[in-house]
Amino acid sequence: DYYAKFTEEFPKSKYVMVGLYNSIVNYDKANFLEKSIGFADKALTEYKDFEISDEDVKKSEKEGSKLPQPIDIREKILFLMAGFQERLAEFEVAANYYEQYVGEFKDGPKKADALFNAGVLREGLGEYDAAIKNLAAYCKEFPKKKDVTAIQWRIGLIHEKKDDYKAMQEHFAS
C-alpha cells in the first residue's frame, strides 16, 4: 500500500494523516480489517496531537487541493474505529470508542449515531445506566429525530430490565 509506505517513510509530513486515512479506507474496502484497525490505532494514538500550519493549508489550496485539518480526519477515523470494533463483536471496545467520539467531537456530524450506537451496545452488555445515559442524551440533543419516541419507550424498558419499576413509572409518566 503506497499510503502506508508513505506514512512510514515520512511520519512528520503534512500529508501523513491523509495517508493514514486512505490506508484505513483502502484496507477496509479490501476486507483487511485488522490492517485498517492497526492504521486507525496508529492515527488515534501516535498522531493524536498532529497539526499542520495554516501556511501549509493555504499553499495546498493554491495548488488545487485543500489539505484537510488533521482534527477532521481524526473525527472520521474515530467513528470508523468504533464501527470496526463492532464488526469484530468487541462491543465494549466499540461502545468506548463511540463515547470517546461524543466526548471529543461535541458537534461532530456523527454524534447522533455515536450516542445511539453506544446506548444500544451498552444495553446489550447489560450496562443499563450507561445505556440510559447515552440514549437520553440522544433524545435530548436530537429531539426532532423520527425515532425519539421509540427510544424514549426503550429507555423505559431498560428501567424495567433493571427491576427499577419506580424509575420506569416516572419515566413513562413524564
Side-chain angles (χ1 to χ4, degrees), residues 45-82:
T45 56
E46 293 178 33
Y47 293 93
K48 182 178 181 172
D49 300 319
F50 186 79
E51 294 182 4
I52 53 176
S53 69
D54 290 337
E55 181 182 322
D56 283 337
V57 172
K58 288 176 185 173
K59 185 177 177 185
S60 69
E61 238 178 298
K62 287 179 183 175
E63 293 169 351
S65 63
K66 184 179 177 190
L67 193 59
Q69 287 294 331
I71 192 73
D72 296 333
I73 297 172
R74 180 178 167 73
E75 177 265 322
K76 291 176 182 177
I77 293 172
L78 187 53
F79 194 83
L80 283 171
M81 182 66 129

PDB file of all heavy atoms in Angstrom, residues 45-82:
ATOM      1  N   THR A  45      -3.460   7.283  18.186  1.00  0.00           N
ATOM      2  CA  THR A  45      -2.529   7.359  19.310  1.00  0.00           C
ATOM      3  C   THR A  45      -1.280   8.170  18.963  1.00  0.00           C
ATOM      4  O   THR A  45      -1.007   9.180  19.602  1.00  0.00           O
ATOM      5  CB  THR A  45      -2.129   5.947  19.797  1.00  0.00           C
ATOM      6  OG1 THR A  45      -1.594   5.197  18.709  1.00  0.00           O
ATOM      7  CG2 THR A  45      -3.315   5.219  20.398  1.00  0.00           C
ATOM      8  N   GLU A  46      -0.566   7.753  17.927  1.00  0.00           N
ATOM      9  CA  GLU A  46       0.697   8.417  17.595  1.00  0.00           C
ATOM     10  C   GLU A  46       0.499   9.810  17.007  1.00  0.00           C
ATOM     11  O   GLU A  46       1.397  10.651  17.095  1.00  0.00           O
ATOM     12  CB  GLU A  46       1.491   7.565  16.607  1.00  0.00           C
ATOM     13  CG  GLU A  46       1.983   6.260  17.196  1.00  0.00           C
ATOM     14  CD  GLU A  46       2.728   5.403  16.190  1.00  0.00           C
ATOM     15  OE1 GLU A  46       3.398   5.973  15.301  1.00  0.00           O
ATOM     16  OE2 GLU A  46       2.629   4.165  16.298  1.00  0.00           O
ATOM     17  N   TYR A  47      -0.640  10.058  16.399  1.00  0.00           N
ATOM     18  CA  TYR A  47      -0.875  11.354  15.743  1.00  0.00           C
ATOM     19  C   TYR A  47      -2.035  12.112  16.385  1.00  0.00           C
ATOM     20  O   TYR A  47      -2.665  12.945  15.744  1.00  0.00           O
ATOM     21  CB  TYR A  47      -1.117  11.148  14.237  1.00  0.00           C
ATOM     22  CG  TYR A  47       0.119  10.664  13.531  1.00  0.00           C
ATOM     23  CD1 TYR A  47       0.355   9.311  13.351  1.00  0.00           C
ATOM     24  CD2 TYR A  47       1.074  11.576  13.087  1.00  0.00           C
ATOM     25  CE1 TYR A  47       1.508   8.871  12.723  1.00  0.00           C
ATOM     26  CE2 TYR A  47       2.225  11.141  12.459  1.00  0.00           C
ATOM     27  CZ  TYR A  47       2.443   9.785  12.284  1.00  0.00           C
ATOM     28  OH  TYR A  47       3.583   9.348  11.664  1.00  0.00           O
ATOM     29  N   LYS A  48      -2.281  11.831  17.650  1.00  0.00           N
ATOM     30  CA  LYS A  48      -3.401  12.467  18.354  1.00  0.00           C
ATOM     31  C   LYS A  48      -3.315  13.993  18.330  1.00  0.00           C
ATOM     32  O   LYS A  48      -4.312  14.677  18.154  1.00  0.00           O
ATOM     33  CB  LYS A  48      -3.463  11.965  19.797  1.00  0.00           C
ATOM     34  CG  LYS A  48      -4.612  12.546  20.570  1.00  0.00           C
ATOM     35  CD  LYS A  48      -4.713  12.020  21.975  1.00  0.00           C
ATOM     36  CE  LYS A  48      -5.920  12.661  22.606  1.00  0.00           C
ATOM     37  NZ  LYS A  48      -6.268  12.146  23.866  1.00  0.00           N
ATOM     38  N   ASP A  49      -2.135  14.518  18.510  1.00  0.00           N
ATOM     39  CA  ASP A  49      -1.951  15.970  18.583  1.00  0.00           C
ATOM     40  C   ASP A  49      -1.316  16.553  17.322  1.00  0.00           C
ATOM     41  O   ASP A  49      -0.831  17.684  17.332  1.00  0.00           O
ATOM     42  CB  ASP A  49      -1.088  16.318  19.805  1.00  0.00           C
ATOM     43  CG  ASP A  49      -1.738  15.859  21.100  1.00  0.00           C
ATOM     44  OD1 ASP A  49      -2.964  16.023  21.231  1.00  0.00           O
ATOM     45  OD2 ASP A  49      -1.020  15.320  21.974  1.00  0.00           O
ATOM     46  N   PHE A  50      -1.327  15.795  16.242  1.00  0.00           N
ATOM     47  CA  PHE A  50      -0.700  16.232  14.997  1.00  0.00           C
ATOM     48  C   PHE A  50      -1.418  17.460  14.446  1.00  0.00           C
ATOM     49  O   PHE A  50      -2.646  17.527  14.429  1.00  0.00           O
ATOM     50  CB  PHE A  50      -0.739  15.095  13.969  1.00  0.00           C
ATOM     51  CG  PHE A  50      -0.001  15.399  12.705  1.00  0.00           C
ATOM     52  CD1 PHE A  50       1.377  15.304  12.641  1.00  0.00           C
ATOM     53  CD2 PHE A  50      -0.684  15.790  11.566  1.00  0.00           C
ATOM     54  CE1 PHE A  50       2.068  15.582  11.468  1.00  0.00           C
ATOM     55  CE2 PHE A  50      -0.005  16.067  10.391  1.00  0.00           C
ATOM     56  CZ  PHE A  50       1.370  15.970  10.344  1.00  0.00           C
ATOM     57  N   GLU A  51      -0.653  18.434  14.011  1.00  0.00           N
ATOM     58  CA  GLU A  51      -1.219  19.651  13.426  1.00  0.00           C
ATOM     59  C   GLU A  51      -0.442  20.026  12.171  1.00  0.00           C
ATOM     60  O   GLU A  51       0.715  19.645  12.018  1.00  0.00           O
ATOM     61  CB  GLU A  51      -1.161  20.804  14.433  1.00  0.00           C
ATOM     62  CG  GLU A  51      -2.056  20.596  15.645  1.00  0.00           C
ATOM     63  CD  GLU A  51      -2.008  21.770  16.608  1.00  0.00           C
ATOM     64  OE1 GLU A  51      -1.344  22.783  16.307  1.00  0.00           O
ATOM     65  OE2 GLU A  51      -2.632  21.670  17.663  1.00  0.00           O
ATOM     66  N   ILE A  52      -1.111  20.766  11.321  1.00  0.00           N
ATOM     67  CA  ILE A  52      -0.440  21.335  10.159  1.00  0.00           C
ATOM     68  C   ILE A  52      -0.603  22.852  10.232  1.00  0.00           C
ATOM     69  O   ILE A  52      -1.555  23.347  10.830  1.00  0.00           O
ATOM     70  CB  ILE A  52      -0.988  20.789   8.818  1.00  0.00           C
ATOM     71  CG1 ILE A  52      -2.497  20.949   8.737  1.00  0.00           C
ATOM     72  CG2 ILE A  52      -0.600  19.347   8.631  1.00  0.00           C
ATOM     73  CD1 ILE A  52      -3.094  20.530   7.421  1.00  0.00           C
ATOM     74  N   SER A  53       0.314  23.549   9.619  1.00  0.00           N
ATOM     75  CA  SER A  53       0.279  25.011   9.705  1.00  0.00           C
ATOM     76  C   SER A  53      -0.773  25.588   8.761  1.00  0.00           C
ATOM     77  O   SER A  53      -1.136  24.984   7.747  1.00  0.00           O
ATOM     78  CB  SER A  53       1.656  25.593   9.354  1.00  0.00           C
ATOM     79  OG  SER A  53       1.927  25.396   7.981  1.00  0.00           O
ATOM     80  N   ASP A  54      -1.247  26.764   9.107  1.00  0.00           N
ATOM     81  CA  ASP A  54      -2.185  27.467   8.232  1.00  0.00           C
ATOM     82  C   ASP A  54      -1.537  27.754   6.877  1.00  0.00           C
ATOM     83  O   ASP A  54      -2.198  27.739   5.847  1.00  0.00           O
ATOM     84  CB  ASP A  54      -2.642  28.782   8.880  1.00  0.00           C
ATOM     85  CG  ASP A  54      -3.535  28.558  10.081  1.00  0.00           C
ATOM     86  OD1 ASP A  54      -4.143  27.470  10.167  1.00  0.00           O
ATOM     87  OD2 ASP A  54      -3.625  29.461  10.938  1.00  0.00           O
ATOM     88  N   GLU A  55      -0.243  27.993   6.931  1.00  0.00           N
ATOM     89  CA  GLU A  55       0.513  28.254   5.699  1.00  0.00           C
ATOM     90  C   GLU A  55       0.458  27.039   4.762  1.00  0.00           C
ATOM     91  O   GLU A  55       0.256  27.181   3.550  1.00  0.00           O
ATOM     92  CB  GLU A  55       1.970  28.594   6.046  1.00  0.00           C
ATOM     93  CG  GLU A  55       2.836  28.911   4.848  1.00  0.00           C
ATOM     94  CD  GLU A  55       4.285  29.199   5.242  1.00  0.00           C
ATOM     95  OE1 GLU A  55       4.499  29.829   6.288  1.00  0.00           O
ATOM     96  OE2 GLU A  55       5.173  28.773   4.483  1.00  0.00           O
ATOM     97  N   ASP A  56       0.619  25.839   5.335  1.00  0.00           N
ATOM     98  CA  ASP A  56       0.543  24.623   4.512  1.00  0.00           C
ATOM     99  C   ASP A  56      -0.850  24.432   3.918  1.00  0.00           C
ATOM    100  O   ASP A  56      -0.987  23.992   2.775  1.00  0.00           O
ATOM    101  CB  ASP A  56       0.926  23.388   5.332  1.00  0.00           C
ATOM    102  CG  ASP A  56       2.429  23.256   5.528  1.00  0.00           C
ATOM    103  OD1 ASP A  56       3.186  23.823   4.713  1.00  0.00           O
ATOM    104  OD2 ASP A  56       2.836  22.582   6.490  1.00  0.00           O
ATOM    105  N   VAL A  57      -1.882  24.764   4.680  1.00  0.00           N
ATOM    106  CA  VAL A  57      -3.255  24.642   4.183  1.00  0.00           C
ATOM    107  C   VAL A  57      -3.468  25.607   3.025  1.00  0.00           C
ATOM    108  O   VAL A  57      -4.006  25.230   1.972  1.00  0.00           O
ATOM    109  CB  VAL A  57      -4.284  24.890   5.307  1.00  0.00           C
ATOM    110  CG1 VAL A  57      -5.705  24.952   4.747  1.00  0.00           C
ATOM    111  CG2 VAL A  57      -4.187  23.817   6.382  1.00  0.00           C
ATOM    112  N   LYS A  58      -3.020  26.863   3.204  1.00  0.00           N
ATOM    113  CA  LYS A  58      -3.183  27.874   2.146  1.00  0.00           C
ATOM    114  C   LYS A  58      -2.389  27.486   0.899  1.00  0.00           C
ATOM    115  O   LYS A  58      -2.873  27.637  -0.220  1.00  0.00           O
ATOM    116  CB  LYS A  58      -2.750  29.243   2.657  1.00  0.00           C
ATOM    117  CG  LYS A  58      -3.721  29.844   3.651  1.00  0.00           C
ATOM    118  CD  LYS A  58      -3.213  31.159   4.199  1.00  0.00           C
ATOM    119  CE  LYS A  58      -4.159  31.664   5.289  1.00  0.00           C
ATOM    120  NZ  LYS A  58      -3.629  32.835   5.959  1.00  0.00           N
ATOM    121  N   LYS A  59      -1.198  26.968   1.114  1.00  0.00           N
ATOM    122  CA  LYS A  59      -0.356  26.557  -0.006  1.00  0.00           C
ATOM    123  C   LYS A  59      -1.026  25.410  -0.775  1.00  0.00           C
ATOM    124  O   LYS A  59      -1.041  25.414  -2.008  1.00  0.00           O
ATOM    125  CB  LYS A  59       1.023  26.129   0.497  1.00  0.00           C
ATOM    126  CG  LYS A  59       1.994  25.800  -0.603  1.00  0.00           C
ATOM    127  CD  LYS A  59       3.363  25.449  -0.029  1.00  0.00           C
ATOM    128  CE  LYS A  59       4.315  25.051  -1.136  1.00  0.00           C
ATOM    129  NZ  LYS A  59       5.584  24.595  -0.616  1.00  0.00           N
ATOM    130  N   SER A  60      -1.595  24.456  -0.046  1.00  0.00           N
ATOM    131  CA  SER A  60      -2.249  23.325  -0.715  1.00  0.00           C
ATOM    132  C   SER A  60      -3.488  23.783  -1.478  1.00  0.00           C
ATOM    133  O   SER A  60      -3.818  23.232  -2.527  1.00  0.00           O
ATOM    134  CB  SER A  60      -2.617  22.227   0.290  1.00  0.00           C
ATOM    135  OG  SER A  60      -3.653  22.639   1.153  1.00  0.00           O
ATOM    136  N   GLU A  61      -4.165  24.815  -0.950  1.00  0.00           N
ATOM    137  CA  GLU A  61      -5.334  25.380  -1.638  1.00  0.00           C
ATOM    138  C   GLU A  61      -4.921  25.996  -2.979  1.00  0.00           C
ATOM    139  O   GLU A  61      -5.589  25.812  -3.991  1.00  0.00           O
ATOM    140  CB  GLU A  61      -5.989  26.452  -0.758  1.00  0.00           C
ATOM    141  CG  GLU A  61      -7.433  26.165  -0.450  1.00  0.00           C
ATOM    142  CD  GLU A  61      -8.019  27.220   0.465  1.00  0.00           C
ATOM    143  OE1 GLU A  61      -7.535  27.366   1.599  1.00  0.00           O
ATOM    144  OE2 GLU A  61      -8.965  27.878   0.028  1.00  0.00           O
ATOM    145  N   LYS A  62      -3.817  26.708  -2.950  1.00  0.00           N
ATOM    146  CA  LYS A  62      -3.311  27.332  -4.175  1.00  0.00           C
ATOM    147  C   LYS A  62      -2.900  26.283  -5.206  1.00  0.00           C
ATOM    148  O   LYS A  62      -2.979  26.512  -6.398  1.00  0.00           O
ATOM    149  CB  LYS A  62      -2.125  28.241  -3.866  1.00  0.00           C
ATOM    150  CG  LYS A  62      -2.507  29.523  -3.171  1.00  0.00           C
ATOM    151  CD  LYS A  62      -1.284  30.370  -2.879  1.00  0.00           C
ATOM    152  CE  LYS A  62      -1.665  31.616  -2.116  1.00  0.00           C
ATOM    153  NZ  LYS A  62      -0.490  32.404  -1.716  1.00  0.00           N
ATOM    154  N   GLU A  63      -2.454  25.130  -4.695  1.00  0.00           N
ATOM    155  CA  GLU A  63      -2.019  24.049  -5.580  1.00  0.00           C
ATOM    156  C   GLU A  63      -3.214  23.269  -6.137  1.00  0.00           C
ATOM    157  O   GLU A  63      -3.033  22.373  -6.959  1.00  0.00           O
ATOM    158  CB  GLU A  63      -1.075  23.106  -4.831  1.00  0.00           C
ATOM    159  CG  GLU A  63       0.235  23.759  -4.473  1.00  0.00           C
ATOM    160  CD  GLU A  63       1.076  22.927  -3.511  1.00  0.00           C
ATOM    161  OE1 GLU A  63       0.575  21.903  -2.983  1.00  0.00           O
ATOM    162  OE2 GLU A  63       2.226  23.311  -3.270  1.00  0.00           O
ATOM    163  N   GLY A  64      -4.408  23.578  -5.650  1.00  0.00           N
ATOM    164  CA  GLY A  64      -5.599  22.963  -6.227  1.00  0.00           C
ATOM    165  C   GLY A  64      -6.307  21.926  -5.384  1.00  0.00           C
ATOM    166  O   GLY A  64      -7.357  21.437  -5.768  1.00  0.00           O
ATOM    167  N   SER A  65      -5.742  21.561  -4.256  1.00  0.00           N
ATOM    168  CA  SER A  65      -6.437  20.610  -3.390  1.00  0.00           C
ATOM    169  C   SER A  65      -6.181  20.987  -1.934  1.00  0.00           C
ATOM    170  O   SER A  65      -5.086  20.823  -1.428  1.00  0.00           O
ATOM    171  CB  SER A  65      -5.976  19.180  -3.648  1.00  0.00           C
ATOM    172  OG  SER A  65      -4.621  19.031  -3.347  1.00  0.00           O
ATOM    173  N   LYS A  66      -7.217  21.502  -1.306  1.00  0.00           N
ATOM    174  CA  LYS A  66      -7.073  21.959   0.074  1.00  0.00           C
ATOM    175  C   LYS A  66      -6.806  20.778   1.002  1.00  0.00           C
ATOM    176  O   LYS A  66      -7.539  19.789   0.997  1.00  0.00           O
ATOM    177  CB  LYS A  66      -8.345  22.698   0.517  1.00  0.00           C
ATOM    178  CG  LYS A  66      -8.227  23.267   1.902  1.00  0.00           C
ATOM    179  CD  LYS A  66      -9.464  24.012   2.323  1.00  0.00           C
ATOM    180  CE  LYS A  66      -9.292  24.491   3.749  1.00  0.00           C
ATOM    181  NZ  LYS A  66     -10.508  25.002   4.310  1.00  0.00           N
ATOM    182  N   LEU A  67      -5.789  20.898   1.786  1.00  0.00           N
ATOM    183  CA  LEU A  67      -5.390  19.887   2.751  1.00  0.00           C
ATOM    184  C   LEU A  67      -6.366  19.907   3.932  1.00  0.00           C
ATOM    185  O   LEU A  67      -6.591  20.956   4.526  1.00  0.00           O
ATOM    186  CB  LEU A  67      -3.971  20.205   3.228  1.00  0.00           C
ATOM    187  CG  LEU A  67      -3.197  19.174   3.994  1.00  0.00           C
ATOM    188  CD1 LEU A  67      -3.025  17.900   3.175  1.00  0.00           C
ATOM    189  CD2 LEU A  67      -1.832  19.724   4.347  1.00  0.00           C
ATOM    190  N   PRO A  68      -6.997  18.772   4.264  1.00  0.00           N
ATOM    191  CA  PRO A  68      -7.931  18.765   5.396  1.00  0.00           C
ATOM    192  C   PRO A  68      -7.196  18.911   6.728  1.00  0.00           C
ATOM    193  O   PRO A  68      -6.044  18.492   6.851  1.00  0.00           O
ATOM    194  CB  PRO A  68      -8.620  17.406   5.295  1.00  0.00           C
ATOM    195  CG  PRO A  68      -7.701  16.561   4.504  1.00  0.00           C
ATOM    196  CD  PRO A  68      -6.901  17.472   3.626  1.00  0.00           C
ATOM    197  N   GLN A  69      -7.875  19.487   7.683  1.00  0.00           N
ATOM    198  CA  GLN A  69      -7.294  19.621   9.014  1.00  0.00           C
ATOM    199  C   GLN A  69      -7.194  18.235   9.659  1.00  0.00           C
ATOM    200  O   GLN A  69      -8.117  17.422   9.540  1.00  0.00           O
ATOM    201  CB  GLN A  69      -8.146  20.538   9.885  1.00  0.00           C
ATOM    202  CG  GLN A  69      -8.049  22.005   9.525  1.00  0.00           C
ATOM    203  CD  GLN A  69      -6.656  22.566   9.784  1.00  0.00           C
ATOM    204  OE1 GLN A  69      -5.924  22.116  10.659  1.00  0.00           O
ATOM    205  NE2 GLN A  69      -6.292  23.569   9.002  1.00  0.00           N
ATOM    206  N   PRO A  70      -6.106  17.946  10.353  1.00  0.00           N
ATOM    207  CA  PRO A  70      -5.961  16.638  11.000  1.00  0.00           C
ATOM    208  C   PRO A  70      -7.116  16.304  11.956  1.00  0.00           C
ATOM    209  O   PRO A  70      -7.511  15.142  12.050  1.00  0.00           O
ATOM    210  CB  PRO A  70      -4.635  16.768  11.752  1.00  0.00           C
ATOM    211  CG  PRO A  70      -3.870  17.760  10.955  1.00  0.00           C
ATOM    212  CD  PRO A  70      -4.887  18.747  10.461  1.00  0.00           C
ATOM    213  N   ILE A  71      -7.673  17.291  12.621  1.00  0.00           N
ATOM    214  CA  ILE A  71      -8.778  17.025  13.551  1.00  0.00           C
ATOM    215  C   ILE A  71     -10.005  16.495  12.800  1.00  0.00           C
ATOM    216  O   ILE A  71     -10.739  15.657  13.314  1.00  0.00           O
ATOM    217  CB  ILE A  71      -9.117  18.277  14.401  1.00  0.00           C
ATOM    218  CG1 ILE A  71     -10.052  17.915  15.562  1.00  0.00           C
ATOM    219  CG2 ILE A  71      -9.727  19.373  13.556  1.00  0.00           C
ATOM    220  CD1 ILE A  71      -9.383  17.166  16.662  1.00  0.00           C
ATOM    221  N   ASP A  72     -10.212  16.968  11.574  1.00  0.00           N
ATOM    222  CA  ASP A  72     -11.334  16.477  10.768  1.00  0.00           C
ATOM    223  C   ASP A  72     -11.114  15.019  10.349  1.00  0.00           C
ATOM    224  O   ASP A  72     -12.061  14.226  10.310  1.00  0.00           O
ATOM    225  CB  ASP A  72     -11.533  17.353   9.530  1.00  0.00           C
ATOM    226  CG  ASP A  72     -11.932  18.777   9.883  1.00  0.00           C
ATOM    227  OD1 ASP A  72     -12.530  18.986  10.958  1.00  0.00           O
ATOM    228  OD2 ASP A  72     -11.633  19.688   9.083  1.00  0.00           O
ATOM    229  N   ILE A  73      -9.875  14.688  10.061  1.00  0.00           N
ATOM    230  CA  ILE A  73      -9.552  13.301   9.709  1.00  0.00           C
ATOM    231  C   ILE A  73      -9.665  12.418  10.945  1.00  0.00           C
ATOM    232  O   ILE A  73     -10.206  11.316  10.892  1.00  0.00           O
ATOM    233  CB  ILE A  73      -8.146  13.213   9.086  1.00  0.00           C
ATOM    234  CG1 ILE A  73      -8.100  14.013   7.781  1.00  0.00           C
ATOM    235  CG2 ILE A  73      -7.748  11.753   8.842  1.00  0.00           C
ATOM    236  CD1 ILE A  73      -6.720  14.152   7.188  1.00  0.00           C
ATOM    237  N   ARG A  74      -9.191  12.927  12.078  1.00  0.00           N
ATOM    238  CA  ARG A  74      -9.277  12.166  13.331  1.00  0.00           C
ATOM    239  C   ARG A  74     -10.732  11.847  13.667  1.00  0.00           C
ATOM    240  O   ARG A  74     -11.048  10.741  14.103  1.00  0.00           O
ATOM    241  CB  ARG A  74      -8.627  12.964  14.455  1.00  0.00           C
ATOM    242  CG  ARG A  74      -8.671  12.261  15.792  1.00  0.00           C
ATOM    243  CD  ARG A  74      -7.966  13.065  16.886  1.00  0.00           C
ATOM    244  NE  ARG A  74      -8.274  12.535  18.184  1.00  0.00           N
ATOM    245  CZ  ARG A  74      -7.815  11.404  18.678  1.00  0.00           C
ATOM    246  NH1 ARG A  74      -7.009  10.656  17.961  1.00  0.00           N
ATOM    247  NH2 ARG A  74      -8.154  10.990  19.879  1.00  0.00           N
ATOM    248  N   GLU A  75     -11.627  12.807  13.444  1.00  0.00           N
ATOM    249  CA  GLU A  75     -13.057  12.592  13.725  1.00  0.00           C
ATOM    250  C   GLU A  75     -13.584  11.416  12.907  1.00  0.00           C
ATOM    251  O   GLU A  75     -14.271  10.539  13.421  1.00  0.00           O
ATOM    252  CB  GLU A  75     -13.823  13.887  13.408  1.00  0.00           C
ATOM    253  CG  GLU A  75     -15.316  13.797  13.583  1.00  0.00           C
ATOM    254  CD  GLU A  75     -16.033  13.468  12.300  1.00  0.00           C
ATOM    255  OE1 GLU A  75     -15.615  13.965  11.236  1.00  0.00           O
ATOM    256  OE2 GLU A  75     -17.011  12.693  12.355  1.00  0.00           O
ATOM    257  N   LYS A  76     -13.232  11.364  11.643  1.00  0.00           N
ATOM    258  CA  LYS A  76     -13.688  10.267  10.774  1.00  0.00           C
ATOM    259  C   LYS A  76     -13.089   8.933  11.210  1.00  0.00           C
ATOM    260  O   LYS A  76     -13.773   7.911  11.226  1.00  0.00           O
ATOM    261  CB  LYS A  76     -13.317  10.552   9.321  1.00  0.00           C
ATOM    262  CG  LYS A  76     -14.090  11.696   8.718  1.00  0.00           C
ATOM    263  CD  LYS A  76     -13.611  11.997   7.312  1.00  0.00           C
ATOM    264  CE  LYS A  76     -14.370  13.186   6.749  1.00  0.00           C
ATOM    265  NZ  LYS A  76     -13.917  13.569   5.434  1.00  0.00           N
ATOM    266  N   ILE A  77     -11.810   8.950  11.545  1.00  0.00           N
ATOM    267  CA  ILE A  77     -11.121   7.719  11.934  1.00  0.00           C
ATOM    268  C   ILE A  77     -11.688   7.170  13.235  1.00  0.00           C
ATOM    269  O   ILE A  77     -11.882   5.953  13.372  1.00  0.00           O
ATOM    270  CB  ILE A  77      -9.598   7.952  12.039  1.00  0.00           C
ATOM    271  CG1 ILE A  77      -9.006   8.233  10.650  1.00  0.00           C
ATOM    272  CG2 ILE A  77      -8.900   6.765  12.692  1.00  0.00           C
ATOM    273  CD1 ILE A  77      -7.554   8.673  10.668  1.00  0.00           C
ATOM    274  N   LEU A  78     -11.972   8.033  14.185  1.00  0.00           N
ATOM    275  CA  LEU A  78     -12.504   7.578  15.464  1.00  0.00           C
ATOM    276  C   LEU A  78     -13.851   6.879  15.286  1.00  0.00           C
ATOM    277  O   LEU A  78     -14.097   5.815  15.860  1.00  0.00           O
ATOM    278  CB  LEU A  78     -12.630   8.756  16.439  1.00  0.00           C
ATOM    279  CG  LEU A  78     -13.025   8.446  17.870  1.00  0.00           C
ATOM    280  CD1 LEU A  78     -12.116   7.392  18.487  1.00  0.00           C
ATOM    281  CD2 LEU A  78     -12.999   9.715  18.698  1.00  0.00           C
ATOM    282  N   PHE A  79     -14.712   7.438  14.454  1.00  0.00           N
ATOM    283  CA  PHE A  79     -16.003   6.807  14.201  1.00  0.00           C
ATOM    284  C   PHE A  79     -15.824   5.482  13.453  1.00  0.00           C
ATOM    285  O   PHE A  79     -16.484   4.486  13.765  1.00  0.00           O
ATOM    286  CB  PHE A  79     -16.936   7.744  13.425  1.00  0.00           C
ATOM    287  CG  PHE A  79     -18.352   7.276  13.426  1.00  0.00           C
ATOM    288  CD1 PHE A  79     -19.189   7.562  14.497  1.00  0.00           C
ATOM    289  CD2 PHE A  79     -18.854   6.528  12.366  1.00  0.00           C
ATOM    290  CE1 PHE A  79     -20.504   7.106  14.510  1.00  0.00           C
ATOM    291  CE2 PHE A  79     -20.164   6.076  12.374  1.00  0.00           C
ATOM    292  CZ  PHE A  79     -20.990   6.371  13.445  1.00  0.00           C
ATOM    293  N   LEU A  80     -14.913   5.462  12.481  1.00  0.00           N
ATOM    294  CA  LEU A  80     -14.623   4.211  11.771  1.00  0.00           C
ATOM    295  C   LEU A  80     -14.114   3.137  12.726  1.00  0.00           C
ATOM    296  O   LEU A  80     -14.519   1.974  12.643  1.00  0.00           O
ATOM    297  CB  LEU A  80     -13.581   4.440  10.668  1.00  0.00           C
ATOM    298  CG  LEU A  80     -14.053   5.089   9.385  1.00  0.00           C
ATOM    299  CD1 LEU A  80     -12.854   5.438   8.495  1.00  0.00           C
ATOM    300  CD2 LEU A  80     -15.006   4.170   8.636  1.00  0.00           C
ATOM    301  N   MET A  81     -13.233   3.529  13.639  1.00  0.00           N
ATOM    302  CA  MET A  81     -12.657   2.568  14.585  1.00  0.00           C
ATOM    303  C   MET A  81     -13.740   1.934  15.443  1.00  0.00           C
ATOM    304  O   MET A  81     -13.705   0.724  15.701  1.00  0.00           O
ATOM    305  CB  MET A  81     -11.601   3.256  15.456  1.00  0.00           C
ATOM    306  CG  MET A  81     -10.925   2.323  16.427  1.00  0.00           C
ATOM    307  SD  MET A  81      -9.932   1.049  15.626  1.00  0.00           S
ATOM    308  CE  MET A  81      -8.402   1.252  16.499  1.00  0.00           C
ATOM    309  N   ALA A  82     -14.713   2.728  15.866  1.00  0.00           N
ATOM    310  CA  ALA A  82     -15.821   2.178  16.649  1.00  0.00           C
ATOM    311  C   ALA A  82     -16.570   1.127  15.832  1.00  0.00           C
ATOM    312  O   ALA A  82     -16.885   0.039  16.330  1.00  0.00           O
ATOM    313  CB  ALA A  82     -16.762   3.296  17.089  1.00  0.00           C
TER     314      ALA A  82
END
